């Protein structure tokens, strides 16, 4: 009985406290931030909260954009004109779509669940990390094929959804690529590469210059190795005498052009051992001299009065020599 009485008293007290408790205040009205942003963009002052209301604090008035000077506006127009230039791609080998580098803004069209590849020039190396405008909804990764100097760097792209439009900057050890990226639901370009007209022109000029140098070297070599038949007859001196019993060593003719001496041997010498040419000095001693053999012709880079063609050495050379003497002109 006492327990029931106590419970009744407690219930009565709780009911009185609940009746005396004030009702909860209604939640504050949420400000319309979208409307406020639209007003700011229109350049009008932000709307004020109603009197007695619990609106958000007033938002500071922000300019919708930064004004540009005429030169800055001209720069923007120049950049936009470059981006708008038609850089028409061409089909390339192995499914490549080839853009001309520097001719305008290239565009890579990709699709979700598809892999798109940007292929750089052979031997070109990526420097630093590629920078993409939308790194959240685009996946980008490097790749490479080939080895050493013939390796080719790739950029692998995968968008997460269609309807995306951003740009990509890739820096290498040769140039910087600025590329537009677009995602479509189904359409995509699997492989993009570049043609380099400036490099091709430079390579052609280098090849032409190398060919000119090679031609000049060949001409110079031909002049140094001019055979007797190519020398002007009026400049030749045939006043040489040859003595000696060894017919195999006797030259067919000896002459000079005023600077060099030519000793033309018989054709059958090419099947035999070639003799050594020694020049006889004023003291009567034989000495070596500079010469070369071209088509069985000894070409000596000097004039001499006497010389010998000797086959063998020491006692073996006896009987295997002929003497050549230049006759004095009267």
């Amino acid at each position: 009985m006492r327990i029931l009485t106590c419970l009744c008293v407690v219930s009565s007290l709780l009911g009185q406290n609940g009746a005396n408790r004030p009702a909860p205040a209604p939640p504050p009205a949420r400000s319309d931030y979208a409307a406020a942003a639209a007003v700011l963009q229109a350049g009008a002052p932000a709307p004020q909260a109603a009197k007695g209301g619990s609106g958000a604090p007033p938002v500071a008035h922000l300019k919708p954009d930064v004004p540009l000077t005429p030169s800055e506006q001209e720069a923007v127009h120049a950049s936009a004109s470059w981006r708008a230039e038609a850089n028409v791609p061409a089909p390339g080998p192995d499914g490549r779509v080839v853009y001309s580098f520097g001719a305008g803004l290239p565009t890579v069209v990709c699709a979700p669940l598809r892999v798109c590849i940007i292929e750089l020039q052979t031997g070109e190396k990526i420097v630093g990390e590629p920078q993409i405008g939308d790194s959240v909804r685009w996946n980008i990764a490097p790749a490479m094929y080939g080895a050493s100097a013939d390796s080719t760097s790739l950029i692998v792209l995968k968008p997460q959804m269609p309807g995306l439009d951003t740009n990509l900057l890739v820096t290498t050890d040769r140039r910087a690529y600025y590329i537009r990226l677009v995602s479509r639901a189904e359409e995509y370009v699997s492989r993009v590469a570049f043609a380099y007209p400036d490099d091709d022109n430079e390579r052609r000029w280098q090849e032409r210059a190398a060919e000119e140098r090679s031609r000049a070297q060949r001409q110079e070599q031909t002049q140094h190795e001019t055979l007797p038949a190519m020398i002007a007859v009026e400049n030749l001196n045939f006043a040489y005498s040859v003595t000696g019993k060894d017919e195999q060593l006797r030259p067919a003719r000896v002459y000079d052009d005023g600077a060099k001496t030519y000793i033309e041997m018989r054709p059958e010498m090419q099947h035999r051992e070639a003799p050594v040419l020694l020049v006889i000095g004023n003291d009567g001693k034989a000495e070596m001299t500079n010469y070369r053999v071209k088509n069985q012709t000894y070409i000596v880079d000097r004039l001499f009065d006497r010389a010998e063609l000797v086959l063998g050495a020491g006692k073996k050379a006896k009987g295997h020599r002929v003497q050549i003497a230049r006759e004095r002109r009267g």
Side-chain angles (χ1 to χ4, degrees):
M1 188 67 179
R2 291 180 179 178
I3 295 174
L4 292 174
T5 305
C6 290
L7 291 174
C8 292
V9 172
V10 171
S11 298
S12 177
L13 293 175
L14 290 175
Q16 292 177 0
N17 291 337
N20 297 331
R21 182 179 301 169
R30 299 192 310 183
S31 300
D32 191 350
Y33 287 100
V39 171
L40 289 177
Q41 293 177 359
Q48 301 294 329
K51 291 184 178 181
S54 55
V59 181
H61 179 68
L62 300 177
K63 294 182 179 180
D65 212 342
V66 177
L68 299 178
T69 64
S71 60
E72 294 167 345
Q73 193 67 45
E74 188 66 26
V76 171
H77 289 162
S79 180
S81 298
W82 177 80
R83 293 195 301 270
E85 288 180 1
N87 191 351
V88 180
D94 300 330
R96 294 178 178 88
V97 174
V98 181
Y99 284 97
S100 179
F101 180 83
L105 180 64
T107 301
V108 178
V109 180
C110 201
L113 304 180
R114 297 290 184 265
V115 172
C116 299
I117 298 173
I118 299 175
E119 183 173 325
L120 307 185
Q121 193 177 28
T122 301
E124 190 172 12
K125 306 299 180 185
I126 298 175
V127 178
E129 181 180 358
Q131 303 296 319
I132 188 169
D134 186 353
S135 60
V136 176
R137 297 176 294 179
W138 284 84
N139 298 329
I140 178 172
M144 180 179 294
Y145 70 87
S148 65
D150 295 330
S151 62
T152 301
S153 298
L154 306 176
I155 300 294
V156 181
L157 300 169
K158 292 188 294 184
Q160 297 181 7
M161 63 181 66
L164 303 179
D165 190 347
T166 187
N167 52 13
L168 173 68
L169 173 65
V170 181
T171 54
T172 72
D173 56 351
R174 299 179 184 176
R175 55 184 64 86
Y177 296 83
Y178 191 80
I179 305 169
R180 181 189 178 195
L181 306 180
V182 175
S183 67
R184 301 275 293 179
E186 297 291 340
E187 300 168 315
Y188 69 99
V189 177
S190 57
R191 195 172 184 181
V192 171
F194 294 88
Y196 305 91
D198 293 342
D199 287 7
D200 294 341
N201 291 336
E202 183 178 358
R203 187 186 70 254
R204 284 194 289 267
W205 280 109
Q206 291 176 351
E207 292 174 353
R208 180 175 180 180
E211 184 179 353
E212 292 292 339
R213 289 194 298 268
S214 178
R215 184 183 296 109
Q217 291 175 356
R218 290 195 301 268
Q219 291 177 352
E220 183 178 0
Q221 184 177 3
T222 302
Q223 291 175 358
H224 285 298
E225 298 180 359
T226 301
L227 295 179
M230 301 177 63
I231 303 173
V233 176
E234 61 269 15
N235 296 329
L236 299 182
N237 173 31
F238 290 90
Y240 285 85
S241 62
V242 179
T243 58
K245 297 181 179 180
D246 195 335
E247 293 294 331
Q248 297 180 358
L249 297 183
R250 292 179 66 89
R253 62 178 61 89
V254 181
Y255 48 89
D256 67 75
D257 61 359
K260 298 177 183 179
T261 305
Y262 303 89
I263 305 172
E264 185 178 343
M265 305 299 291
R266 302 178 187 276
E268 55 267 21
M269 194 198 77
Q270 60 181 330
H271 305 295
R272 300 172 182 170
E273 182 181 357
V276 177
L277 177 66
L278 300 176
V279 174
I280 307 301
N282 295 329
D283 56 359
K285 294 182 180 181
E287 59 184 20
M288 299 292 295
T289 187
N290 293 328
Y291 67 90
R292 58 192 178 277
V293 181
K294 181 73 172 179
N295 295 338
Q296 290 81 53
T297 300
Y298 286 64
I299 304 175
V300 187
D301 295 327
R302 54 169 290 189
L303 302 178
F304 56 80
D305 291 331
R306 291 186 300 162
E308 288 184 337
L309 288 171
V310 181
L311 184 63
K315 295 181 179 180
K316 295 182 180 180
K318 291 183 177 181
H320 296 284
R321 65 177 67 211
V322 295
Q323 293 77 31
I324 301 173
R326 183 160 64 100
E327 299 175 358
R328 300 284 184 179
R329 292 184 178 182

